[in-house]
Amino acid sequence: MSARHDLRFPDANKSEDAVLVVAVASQTSITVELARPVTAVGLWGRRTEVHTIRCHADEPRAAVAAITALLPAGT
């Protein structure tokens, strides 16, 4: 698993396979690559297997540092 600061402005009309995008004000600032897929459940109950999560944080570098600190050594 890894996390990084990654400012993006995703196109709402295009989707990427196995990527969960949780944008705020049409942007994401963190990308988390998972070690194995997880099931994401959408607003209407639709289930999707994802291996990447992109989301927004007000302080993305601090959020990435906090996520990274929780990871086991060597990941």
Side-chain angles (χ1 to χ4, degrees):
M1 185 173 141
S2 66
R4 66 183 180 276
H5 175 239
D6 184 21
L7 183 61
R8 291 178 179 241
F9 297 89
D11 184 343
N13 297 316
K14 294 181 183 177
S15 64
E16 297 177 69
D17 289 338
V19 177
L20 174 63
V21 177
V22 185
V24 174
S26 300
Q27 70 178 9
T28 63
S29 55
I30 297 173
T31 296
V32 178
E33 299 283 345
L34 303 172
R36 59 182 174 269
V38 298
T39 301
V41 181
L43 292 174
W44 303 107
R46 181 172 173 239
R47 295 176 177 271
T48 305
E49 292 290 314
V50 299
H51 60 75
T52 302
I53 301 170
R54 294 195 175 113
C55 60
H56 177 73
D58 289 335
E59 299 290 338
R61 287 180 175 77
V64 168
I67 293 167
T68 303
L70 294 172
L71 297 177
T75 59

